[in-house]
Amino acid sequence: QELRGLAATEDFSRELISESDLGETVKNDFFADYSDEEAQQDALVLATLGLLPPDFELKQWYTDLYSEQIAGYYDDEIKTMFVVQDTGFGGYEKLTYAHEYTHVLQDQVYGFDDQLDMSEEACQADSEKCAAIQAVVEGDATVSELLWFQEYGTRQDYDDIMEMYDSYESPVLDSAPPYMEADLYFPYDYGQIFVETFVTDGNYAPLSEVYANLPVSTEQILHPERYPDDTPIPVDLPDMTDILGEGWTLYDQNVMGEWYTYLILNKAYELSWQLSEPTASAAAEGWGGDAYAVYLNEDTNQVVFIMDTTWDSYAEAEEFATTFRTYADYRWDTADSFILGHYAWDGIDGVVDFFWNGARTVWVIAPNTQIIESLMFELE
């Protein structure tokens, strides 16, 4: 509390649990409301974006990953903090405790569901904003745990942590498609960098102002100098349900953001599709705002994906368009056709169409050319 500058306002529960207890909690609680059908549909969408291979067992992977990776967590519904304890309570457990206790203070002072607006409903409504806030929350806890360790960690604590890292194995994460590890660590790694921009020499006062005016995009997290002024440009997508016809339903509509735009270009599950990190970062950096929509046909198990993006300038849109065509050529072979004058590719995912006009780009994936043309008449 002294280091972080936040005072606890009420009591809370804390428990030490074993790795086997964690496994049971992950299996029975974390994903209790996540159905097999939802997981299969989520995997289908991510496969359409090139981030997962087809038929990836997403729910089982999440269950295995959380059982492997979680060292502790704070449950804000029951106001209880958990730390996974193996054979003792050494340096690594203390570090985890400091991190999770920071979450307790954040919840008591700000309220995860209230001021921070991190409820499940809010995050489903605006996943981009939620990702930005999560980065602040996790970055804050990461900086705080490191400050605690610098101030109070002992030589034995240090030795414990080094011993843990020397023997640590993560077969589930190591075998995962590339985007998963990057996305898992985003709120911790980039969140830490963002928070350190506002915390110097243990002074958290500037960060308090961030909590009063939370970031609203991953762009602001990736580029702290753009916070708070560079806010996303709203993009509206028309409802295409009637255009698509019988059997099609809107499955998801949200904002992709700079971070996921980068992941698509750099972290495809097939290494041969991946663009270099500098190329992907430069192409995504000019992001100004977007809207995407995913439609599913449960009868045919087909997907329609639409992403409409506004860029910061004509030049930024041109850079993304050029980069995207390179990515598309890697993934679907060189474009040898056009639809309504736009670049088009054929692949196992369906037909891919892309156009660039001024500071705007539109990317569509659909089962056939007829659907593409119907959608493009509405989008142009």
Side-chain angles (χ1 to χ4, degrees), residues 176-313:
Y179 105 90
M180 288 181 150
E181 181 174 6
D183 200 36
L184 177 69
Y185 287 126
F186 172 81
Y188 303 92
D189 293 344
Y190 287 98
Q192 178 183 348
I193 295 170
F194 179 88
V195 168
E196 286 176 339
T197 305
F198 302 93
V199 177
T200 55
D201 299 325
N203 177 20
Y204 276 89
L207 189 64
S208 298
E209 298 179 11
V210 173
Y211 275 101
N213 183 23
L214 290 163
V216 293
S217 71
T218 55
E219 177 187 42
Q220 292 179 337
I221 299 299
L222 291 164
H223 312 283
E225 71 280 3
R226 300 182 187 177
Y227 164 85
D229 297 328
D230 192 352
T231 56
I233 301 168
V235 176
D236 292 323
L237 269 180
D239 189 338
M240 298 295 188
T241 306
D242 291 340
I243 301 298
L244 291 170
E246 187 177 353
W248 289 94
T249 58
L250 179 62
Y251 177 70
D252 184 28
Q253 186 165 1
N254 222 302
V255 176
M256 192 70 67
E258 180 179 339
W259 173 243
Y260 256 77
T261 301
Y262 160 78
L263 289 179
I264 290 170
L265 298 176
N266 177 250
K267 300 297 183 184
Y269 79 87
E270 283 283 358
L271 298 182
S272 61
W273 302 348
Q274 295 179 2
L275 303 183
S276 70
E277 183 171 336
T279 299
S281 294
E285 187 175 342
W287 181 89
D290 77 66
Y292 75 85
V294 178
Y295 296 85
L296 294 182
N297 189 318
E298 295 186 12
D299 296 331
T300 61
N301 211 34
Q302 292 174 315
V303 177
V304 164
F305 169 76
I306 305 168
M307 182 174 169
D308 191 340
T309 305
T310 296
W311 300 88
D312 289 335
S313 66

Side-chain angles (χ1 to χ4, degrees), residues 344-366:
W345 296 260
D346 288 316
I348 58 173
D349 329 83
V351 180
V352 182
D353 186 275
F354 180 86
F355 82 81
W356 155 46
N357 182 18
R360 180 192 183 206
T361 61
V362 176
W363 171 24
V364 177
I365 302 175

Side-chain angles (χ1 to χ4, degrees), residues 56-321:
F56 187 84
E57 294 292 339
L58 187 60
K59 184 176 180 179
Q60 185 59 54
W61 185 85
Y62 275 139
T63 302
D64 294 341
L65 177 76
Y66 278 52
S67 299
E68 173 188 89
Q69 291 291 317
I70 290 179
Y73 65 96
Y74 169 63
D75 188 328
D76 63 301
E77 290 188 3
I78 61 173
K79 309 300 180 185
T80 302
M81 185 181 89
F82 299 88
V83 173
V84 179
Q85 180 185 39
D86 189 9
T87 56
F89 197 84
Y92 188 66
E93 288 79 12
K94 293 177 184 178
L95 207 60
T96 301
Y97 190 103
H99 184 106
E100 299 307 328
Y101 187 69
T102 305
H103 289 328
V104 173
L105 294 175
Q106 291 165 338
D107 189 30
Q108 291 191 6
V109 174
Y110 301 115
F112 285 149
D113 287 351
D114 299 329
Q115 182 177 327
L116 300 187
D117 199 22
M118 292 181 66
S119 68
E120 183 177 350
E121 295 77 12
C123 288
Q124 287 178 346
D126 192 342
S127 58
E128 172 73 353
K129 179 182 177 182
C130 190
I133 297 171
Q134 184 186 17
V136 174
V137 168
E138 294 297 352
D140 179 2
T142 300
V143 170
S144 296
E145 71 174 88
L146 295 176
L147 286 176
W148 174 85
F149 183 77
Q150 292 168 11
E151 184 75 19
Y152 295 107
T154 66
R155 179 67 194 189
Q156 183 60 54
D157 291 332
Y158 175 84
D159 291 342
D160 290 343
I161 293 170
M162 291 301 100
E163 182 180 353
M164 189 283 299
Y165 281 126
D166 287 343
S167 61
Y168 179 70
E169 295 181 349
S170 54
V172 177
L173 188 60
D174 293 344
S175 63
Y179 105 90
M180 288 181 150
E181 181 174 6
D183 200 36
L184 177 69
Y185 287 126
F186 172 81
Y188 303 92
D189 293 344
Y190 287 98
Q192 178 183 348
I193 295 170
F194 179 88
V195 168
E196 286 176 339
T197 305
F198 302 93
V199 177
T200 55
D201 299 325
N203 177 20
Y204 276 89
L207 189 64
S208 298
E209 298 179 11
V210 173
Y211 275 101
N213 183 23
L214 290 163
V216 293
S217 71
T218 55
E219 177 187 42
Q220 292 179 337
I221 299 299
L222 291 164
H223 312 283
E225 71 280 3
R226 300 182 187 177
Y227 164 85
D229 297 328
D230 192 352
T231 56
I233 301 168
V235 176
D236 292 323
L237 269 180
D239 189 338
M240 298 295 188
T241 306
D242 291 340
I243 301 298
L244 291 170
E246 187 177 353
W248 289 94
T249 58
L250 179 62
Y251 177 70
D252 184 28
Q253 186 165 1
N254 222 302
V255 176
M256 192 70 67
E258 180 179 339
W259 173 243
Y260 256 77
T261 301
Y262 160 78
L263 289 179
I264 290 170
L265 298 176
N266 177 250
K267 300 297 183 184
Y269 79 87
E270 283 283 358
L271 298 182
S272 61
W273 302 348
Q274 295 179 2
L275 303 183
S276 70
E277 183 171 336
T279 299
S281 294
E285 187 175 342
W287 181 89
D290 77 66
Y292 75 85
V294 178
Y295 296 85
L296 294 182
N297 189 318
E298 295 186 12
D299 296 331
T300 61
N301 211 34
Q302 292 174 315
V303 177
V304 164
F305 169 76
I306 305 168
M307 182 174 169
D308 191 340
T309 305
T310 296
W311 300 88
D312 289 335
S313 66
Y314 175 97
E316 296 286 6
E318 181 181 26
E319 181 178 24
F320 177 77

